[in-house]
Amino acid sequence: MSISVTHLTKTYGSQVAVNNISFTIGKGEVVGFLGPNGAGKSTSMKMITGFLPADSGEIEVCGIKVSPHHIASHRKIGYLPEANPLYHDMYVREYLEFVSGIYQIKEKGKRIEEVIKMVGLTPESHKKIGQLSKGYKQRVGLAAALIHNPEVLILDEPTSGLDPNQIVEIRNVIQTLATNKTILFSSHIMQEVEAMCSRVIIIHKGNIVADDRLDALRGNEGFGITVRFSQPVDELQLQKINGVQQVQALAANTYSLHCQYAEPVKKHLLQFSIQHNLDIVTLQTESRSLENIFRSLTLSQEALQ
């Protein structure tokens, strides 16, 4: 396994930031690490990278225990923290030379040019970091994380604060890297996760509430059916249809139905419309979006507490 986390716990006084979590990530996987603000994502990532000590539990990266072998595990990890700390008075190549010196990289000049090209920094590589747009600063952070050619990338909110064009550019860079790296990254942009990940881990208040392939999560969460009738319908009547789990009125004569299995419910809807002398104007079925799954899991945990 590229990443193995076992019974990881971190507390700050009486607050439990990360509560006895365990998961593994195999070589070549791209995994989205999701959760509301304060859920424990960044704390977990800092512990995996060795920048923050765990209270208990064990972390291995590429078979190396992060504690006590911080230096050895660091060589396997490329880390882009959410804050992306950079030296703004340094030129791009100057900064990357500084970072490559820390990792004692041979043929530094060659490797610097490789990562500059890899992350699309070439047009701005002659500038000071402080002169760059936020999108290009993110690219500098990525270049620094990649300079030692790590096997594992840990990216904490890599597209935070970027405009739509910059988001697409950084996404393309990450997708290119995903061909030969294991990547764990956090994001609040669900479309990013759906575009790049086959698996997601959702953490809420320090606890893992979901860890599965995206297609399996969608299957577990069922389907959404949007139906528009020729006239208004009592929501309670729709709720009684066999297989319907939840009903929400959307607009005039239009309703959203959540169900585990779509086809039987569609047949029951047809029978319902005939019995009540209704015309079905439109009927659409879609699997649940990651955003809906995220909200469902985290809000249900809130209700349980």
Side-chain angles (χ1 to χ4, degrees), residues 11 18 27 51 57 66-67 71 102 105 118 124 128 139-140 166-167 176 189 203 219 224 231 236 242 255 292 298 303:
T11 59
V18 176
K27 186 176 181 179
F51 284 88
V66 171
S67 179
I71 294 176
I102 293 173
I105 294 171
M118 190 184 303
E124 304 290 294
K128 283 188 175 182
R139 291 172 191 248
V140 174
Q166 292 169 335
I167 288 173
T176 300
I189 305 173
I203 186 171
Q231 61 192 62
L236 292 177
N242 189 24
Y255 306 86
N292 288 336
T298 55

Side-chain angles (χ1 to χ4, degrees), residues 236-247:
L236 292 177
Q237 289 183 315
L238 291 174
Q239 187 72 60
K240 292 177 182 178
I241 293 175
N242 189 24
V244 173
Q245 298 173 329
Q246 186 178 348
V247 177

Side-chain angles (χ1 to χ4, degrees), residues 1-6 22-25 48 58-64 66:
M1 289 294 170
S2 291
I3 300 174
S4 175
V5 172
T6 308
S22 299
F23 61 86
T24 59
I25 301 177
I48 293 169
E58 188 173 272
I59 306 163
E60 289 188 6
V61 176
C62 300
I64 301 171
V66 171

Side-chain angles (χ1 to χ4, degrees), residues 197-209:
C197 298
S198 58
R199 174 185 165 200
V200 296
I201 298 171
I202 301 177
I203 186 171
H204 182 55
K205 292 191 173 180
N207 298 289
I208 290 178
V209 296

